[in-house]
Amino acid sequence: MTSEDVLDAFREADDPVLTTPEVSDAAPVHRVASRLEELAESGILARKTVGDGETVWWLPGHTETSGNTDPGVHDGDQQNAEDGLPRPVETAIQGLDLPDEDTEACRTDVYAACLSVYRDGPVSTDDLRGELDEPARWEGCVRSALEELPFVHHDGDGWRFEAETAADWSNGESDEGSA
């Protein structure tokens, strides 16, 4: 089961919070559990241990658990930086054409880099590279993927997001226009 399969389970579920067996579908639970852990450690999924010690998982920004603070923005269009990336950003990341070797790990690293830039930007190249489990993946995947995203920009101060409004996010445009 790939990371994308796991994320699809959350996007397609009626419930905003799922247990490991609910995510597993036809895949062995132990494989799903390790993929869930990987996605949580990289900040893509959130988790909590409940009652009898069972872990529940959710995809921030795609559930009613998101902490949207702007009443003019519908849940999932944009959410707090505490929760994750706005949906259009995540969608753009999912649509990237990434290298064939280790695509899922690359996509996970791109998401984590975007999350850092979104929460903490501007962020230096050295800091982003240093956050990767495999720093060599920076040149082979992450840097070029960030350069493809229309709302992520690199300048002398580091990597940063341009879009300021929900309309900008959904259009994939920066303050300077579309890329």
Side-chain angles (χ1 to χ4, degrees):
M1 179 171 257
T2 67
S3 295
E4 190 59 29
D5 293 333
V6 170
L7 294 174
D8 282 344
F10 286 94
R11 291 183 191 113
E12 296 167 5
D14 291 331
D15 293 324
V17 179
L18 301 174
T19 63
T20 302
E22 290 172 321
V23 175
S24 69
D25 196 21
V29 172
H30 72 278
R31 288 183 49 210
V32 173
S34 63
R35 184 67 70 185
L36 287 165
E37 288 291 335
E38 177 184 302
L39 290 168
E41 288 173 16
S42 63
I44 297 171
L45 289 178
R47 65 179 164 214
K48 179 179 181 178
T49 303
V50 294
D52 60 355
E54 186 168 28
T55 302
V56 293
W57 311 86
W58 65 94
L59 181 60
H62 291 274
T63 67
E64 293 182 24
T65 62
S66 69
N68 186 353
T69 58
D70 182 349
V73 177
H74 298 289
D75 232 6
D77 289 344
Q78 184 174 12
Q79 71 271 355
N80 275 342
E82 313 319 320
D83 290 341
L85 292 170
R87 183 174 292 188
V89 176
E90 185 177 282
T91 300
I93 292 169
Q94 295 305 322
L96 289 170
D97 185 23
L98 300 173
D100 287 338
E101 64 264 359
D102 214 2
T103 299
E104 291 306 315
C106 178
R107 193 174 314 280
T108 299
D109 285 345
V110 170
Y111 187 99
C114 282
L115 192 59
S116 286
V117 172
Y118 183 66
R119 289 180 176 169
D120 307 323
V123 179
S124 73
T125 296
D126 287 341
D127 287 344
L128 289 176
R129 186 184 305 121
E131 291 176 10
L132 300 177
D133 289 334
E134 294 182 35
R137 202 175 293 132
W138 173 259
E139 291 301 329
C141 169
V142 178
R143 180 184 193 108
S144 61
L146 290 177
E147 290 170 346
E148 280 185 50
L149 295 170
F151 30 74
V152 177
H153 298 279
H154 184 255
D155 59 26
D157 293 328
W159 295 87
R160 59 186 165 71
F161 274 89
E162 287 284 320
E164 295 294 330
T165 67
D168 288 343
W169 288 117
S170 61
N171 293 331
E173 296 177 0
S174 71
D175 294 337
E176 302 163 358
S178 58

